[in-house]
Amino acid sequence: MDITKISDTFAVATQILAQDMPMLKAQGMTTIINNRPDGEEGHPSSSAQLQAAAEALGMAYHFIPVVGMNFPQAAVSEMAQVVTQSSSRVLAFCRTGNRSINMWARANELADTGVDVSALVAKTSFKLV
């Protein structure tokens, strides 16, 4: 698992596993967002397994899957709600982190948070589409 800190309250990661949850909790993550659909090639854990592991440690878990670089308005709205209502650190993940960072960017735009998304993303290896 590779975690990239985007801001003080948001990070993205490559695939996480249920056994990663204690480490994520120790790093101060309070909310996990899974942007990978169940059954996607190379996805070793189901959303239900990840949710159980996160919730057992008192972390919030949200399943907001997106396929490829297709970002449906309902998914972006849900992501915006989760990110803006989280009380602390949020980690979103997908296979490479690209979908998650692009979902976050769209969520910030939708919620009109005033976050300079482009500047934050420019400090990473990710690209906005």
Side-chain angles (χ1 to χ4, degrees), residues 24-88:
L24 296 172
K25 172 95 175 172
Q27 290 183 8
M29 299 301 170
T30 60
T31 301
I32 306 295
I33 301 172
N34 178 359
N35 294 130
R36 284 194 88 174
D38 275 347
E40 186 175 59
E41 184 178 338
H43 193 346
S45 304
S46 71
S47 180
Q49 292 167 323
L50 295 169
Q51 181 173 5
E55 290 178 351
L57 295 171
M59 294 187 290
Y61 178 90
H62 300 273
F63 185 48
I64 311 173
V66 292
V67 177
M69 292 306 240
N70 176 28
F71 305 103
Q73 188 63 35
V76 172
S77 294
E78 186 176 356
M79 182 92 164
Q81 182 177 9
V82 170
V83 170
T84 59
Q85 292 181 355
S86 178
S87 61
S88 191

